[in-house]
């Protein structure tokens, strides 16, 4: 179905306690410009790339930018994007891969360039996503690199996604909390060595979640289509809310949830489905309800 006004609100207020002010939760997808989303029916037939962001914004209130991982952020390009986007739409942006995955000798200079470029998003920036590779384990050298990287990004809002299980320790969470950096909660296949799905909040201003899919067979393949080819069921999303979301909304003022299973437009479909589930969760958690 083509984008239209969603049946459930794109931004949902979850009130975990009678006394709490509540947690605002927004759902969206990792990237929005996929030609296969036209073939799959999320965008109308014949939709061109230039029109996709506006159509996307009819359904969602936040988007995670993929292209800033492939190329350096440019202030002029991002400013034009903001100008053409619906006024309510907020942005998260990945840090460029030549800083995290293909680290070059001048990575410090690249961080400075990225800081300047990302300024084009202005107040619409929710967070910079520091996505670390699966082989980035918790060695002394990697800990020093990450600390220097986070220093270089301050005081911008930052979220860190670990893929290696060695980072799932209290000392790491405490350091992120001290820096007010959001730990990314990941939903992915339960495989040895992968960072687990946690409800740990290290920044009370923002929790950050990424759904990658649970395709165990495709995850270890080198084929990106197979890796992220997964369609979440309502029951799976409901169970995730009970197991993980309940802890996140108790400890944060706002949260963003992105689906990265982009194959065949599964990401926007699942994000809309989660919004429906969240709406019912929020209703059930309203003060005064049993």
């Amino acid at each position: 179905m083509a984008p239209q006004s969603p049946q459930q609100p794109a931004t949902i207020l979850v009130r975990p306690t009678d006394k709490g002010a509540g947690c605002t939760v927004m759902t969206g997808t990792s990237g929005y410009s996929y030609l296969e989303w036209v073939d799959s029916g999320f965008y109308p037939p014949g939709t061109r790339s230039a029109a996709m962001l506006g159509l996307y914004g009819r359904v969602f209130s936040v988007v995670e930018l993929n292209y800033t991982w492939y190329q350096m952020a440019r202030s002029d390009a991002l400013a034009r994007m903001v100008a053409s986007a619906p006024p309510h739409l907020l942005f998260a942006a990945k840090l460029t891969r030549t800083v995290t995955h293909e680290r070059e000798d001048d990575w410090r200079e690249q961080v400075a360039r990225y800081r300047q470029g990302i300024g084009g998003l202005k107040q619409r920036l929710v967070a910079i996503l520091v996505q670390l590779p699966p082989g980035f384990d918790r060695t002394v050298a990697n800990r020093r690199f990450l600390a220097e990287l986070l220093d270089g990004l301050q005081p911008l809002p930052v979220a860190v996604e670990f893929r290696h299980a060695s980072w799932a320790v209290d000392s790491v969470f405490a350091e992120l909390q001290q820096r007010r950096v959001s730990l990314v909660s990941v939903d992915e296949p339960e495989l040895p060595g992968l960072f687990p799905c946690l409800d740990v909040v290290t920044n009370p201003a923002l929790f950050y979640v990424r759904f990658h899919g649970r395709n165990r067979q495709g995850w270890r393949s080198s084929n990106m289509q197979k890796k992220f080819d997964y369609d979440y069921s309502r029951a799976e999303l409901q169970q995730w809310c009970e197991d993980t979301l309940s802890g996140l909304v108790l400890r944060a003022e706002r949260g963003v949830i992105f689906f990265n299973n982009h194959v065949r437009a599964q990401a926007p479909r699942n994000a809309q489905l989660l919004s429906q589930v969240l709406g019912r969760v929020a209703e059930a958690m309203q003060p005064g309800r049993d």
Side-chain angles (χ1 to χ4, degrees), residues 22-135:
C23 177
T24 300
V25 182
M26 295 173 283
T27 62
T29 64
S30 181
Y32 65 90
S33 182
Y34 298 101
L35 292 178
E36 62 190 285
W37 289 11
V38 178
D39 299 334
S40 301
F42 179 70
Y43 292 130
T47 299
R48 297 187 177 184
S49 297
M52 289 180 178
L53 187 59
L55 293 169
Y56 176 94
R58 295 183 184 182
V59 179
F60 301 112
S61 55
V62 66
V63 64
E64 184 182 84
L65 297 179
N66 268 332
Y67 96 89
T68 56
W69 189 76
Y70 292 99
Q71 56 185 280
M72 180 59 64
R74 289 175 43 204
S75 180
D76 55 344
L78 290 174
R80 288 194 298 270
M81 177 180 291
V82 168
S84 65
H88 69 276
L89 190 63
L90 302 179
F91 299 86
K94 290 184 180 180
L95 186 62
T96 313
R97 60 182 174 176
T98 51
V99 175
T100 55
H101 288 59
E102 303 162 10
R103 195 187 316 167
E104 299 179 352
D105 292 339
D106 67 340
W107 69 266
R108 296 173 183 82
E109 290 75 14
Q110 291 191 40
V111 170
R113 287 171 53 202
Y114 184 93
R115 287 178 58 97
Q116 182 178 14
I118 209 68
L121 293 178
K122 299 182 179 180
Q123 300 303 314
R124 307 275 283 275
L125 175 66
V126 171
I128 294 168
L129 173 63
V130 178
Q131 176 184 295
L132 298 166

Side-chain angles (χ1 to χ4, degrees), residues 163-177:
R163 292 286 177 88
H164 199 280
S166 61
W167 294 94
V169 294
D170 289 342
S171 59
V172 172
F173 306 151
E175 178 67 20
L176 294 179
Q177 184 173 14

Side-chain angles (χ1 to χ4, degrees), residues 180-252:
R180 293 184 67 85
V181 168
S182 300
L183 172 72
V184 175
S185 179
V186 292
D187 190 276
E188 59 195 5
E190 294 184 1
L191 293 172
L194 285 183
F195 196 86
C197 181
L198 302 173
D199 64 354
V200 175
V201 173
T202 56
N203 179 8
L206 181 74
F207 76 73
Y208 198 117
V209 179
R210 304 189 79 216
F211 278 85
H212 296 300
R214 301 173 181 177
N215 188 339
R216 294 174 59 91
Q217 184 175 0
W219 188 265
R220 297 298 191 188
S221 74
S222 58
N223 187 311
M224 298 298 287
Q225 291 292 99
K226 292 181 179 179
K227 183 175 183 178
F228 298 115
D229 186 1
Y230 191 82
D231 197 5
Y232 286 91
S233 68
R234 180 182 292 271
E236 287 175 320
L237 296 177
Q238 181 68 50
Q239 189 64 52
W240 177 85
C241 287
E242 295 174 5
D243 295 343
T244 305
L245 179 75
S246 56
L248 298 174
V249 299
L250 282 172
R251 307 181 187 100

